[in-house]
Amino acid sequence: MTALQGAYECIYANDARYPLEFHQVVSPPKCLYCMGDTSLLSADVRARCFAIIGARKASPYGLSVTELFAAQACKYNLIVVSGGAYGCDSCAHKAALKARCATICVLGGGFEHVYPARHVQLFQDIIDNKGLLISENQPNTIPKPYMFRKRNRLIAALSKALLIAEAGMPSGTLSTADDALNMGKCVMVVPGAITSAFSKGTNYLLYQGAYPIIDTQSFTDALQSAYPFIDCADALVSKESVENAPPQHPVITAICARSATDDELLAYAQSHVSATFSYTMLMEILVSAELNGEIERLPDGRWSAKIR
């Protein structure tokens, strides 16, 4: 089943709940089909909308930063907006639901033929937990590829600021960034390794002048600039605690730069630390770092930095 359970409502362009920002987009929707809590579209609530988007075929790194910054946004009672796609989008919605935070999903098709079909339970959870699904397409509309590119303008318009967690090239995510920039929105971007195909799009946006998000402190600063009414004082990082942090072991530093297997890490340690570095020594370091929340074991067996 790809249809959603519940009643929907059509909000026309002359309705007070119809977002004023949608009047400014190309081909403004004549009607917004909504399922869930339509009070999220009221002007005072809508001022808290914050979009988080990214690659559909996201890497573990992309999913980690999405979850981290979605959770951070929820701490300041922002409304997480995304498109419900595979990868970063659905991760953002799930993080918001986990934090008991309101989330808005802008669908590409209609409510009776949601896409991806595997996310029907996620979409239902959004509705059932005081979130909102919106679409400019009639409920019986079968989604077509062009509809997802078209709906991106609504994601950009609805939010005061936008975070791109991860994007390759070419990418539909970049089209949303273009829409947001053209509307004068704040576009935040999480950088990635220059060797990663997953990060070519995000790194290109940084080259073009997007706001770099390099840690939770830079994210807090960006949020306070875009949403001056929120209080981010409790998120300030202690400079002293950073300066007094113990030095990282070279093996852990290597993992933070790129995820790696046991064999790759052992070879690195024997080359850069000591030729007598043993597998047992490696495991002691990895397990200790894992328990401290610095790294994590990925499903494919590689070790990766745990974004905090």
Side-chain angles (χ1 to χ4, degrees), residues 126-148:
I126 292 174
I127 296 170
D128 296 341
N129 288 277
K130 299 187 182 303
L132 178 65
L133 264 60
I134 65 175
S135 175
E136 62 183 313
N137 299 298
Q138 295 181 5
N140 63 352
T141 302
I142 297 176
K144 304 291 184 184
Y146 77 89
M147 296 177 183
F148 297 93

Side-chain angles (χ1 to χ4, degrees), residues 252 255-256 285-286 289-290 293-297 303-306:
I252 305 304
I255 294 173
C256 290
I285 292 169
L286 294 177
E290 183 181 26
E294 297 176 74
I295 62 174
E296 61 184 341
R297 188 86 160 189
W303 292 94
S304 177
K306 191 168 184 178

